[in-house]
Amino acid sequence: MENRLTIMQFLRVFDAIRETGERTESKYMIGEMAAWHDYDGYTCWLGYKDVTVTLMFHGSLKIEYEDASNYAVFLKQCLALTASKPLQ
């Protein structure tokens, strides 16, 4: 299994969660996956358990996690979301 997605794939995941997820006070949720952004939208985050992916405006990406198995599950869920969302 691929252990890293591109920033474009993560942005597609963010968009899929934002479009189809349930909105809470500050996040959009699909199951245990969350997507949120700062007030101006320049920085976006994806989260799942102890996994946090930070997507920054200038195209950089930061991935943090403690448990590799949580990251593996997160990647599988990301791939499933992007597979079900066609490119536009």
Side-chain angles (χ1 to χ4, degrees):
M1 174 180 62
E2 179 180 329
N3 65 358
R4 184 156 182 152
L5 299 178
T6 67
I7 192 160
M8 288 301 294
Q9 290 169 304
F10 280 128
L11 286 169
R12 288 183 62 217
V13 171
F14 179 87
D15 193 44
I17 294 172
R18 190 183 54 79
E19 286 181 358
T20 61
E22 181 180 326
R23 184 176 177 135
T24 65
E25 285 186 31
S26 61
K27 296 180 181 182
Y28 297 88
M29 302 290 297
I30 292 180
E32 294 183 72
M33 291 185 69
W36 67 101
H37 57 82
D38 61 0
Y39 71 97
D40 58 9
Y42 283 105
T43 304
C44 303
W45 293 270
L46 294 169
Y48 171 79
K49 296 187 179 185
D50 68 335
V51 179
T52 303
V53 175
T54 306
L55 307 162
M56 292 162 261
F57 175 71
H58 49 83
S60 61
L61 173 70
K62 182 178 181 183
I63 301 170
E64 300 173 287
Y65 59 90
E66 292 181 23
D67 186 338
S69 65
N70 285 341
Y71 184 60
V73 171
F74 171 74
L75 287 178
K76 284 183 184 179
Q77 291 180 2
C78 287
L79 291 169
L81 279 173
T82 59
S84 65
K85 182 172 174 40
L87 288 173
Q88 296 180 10

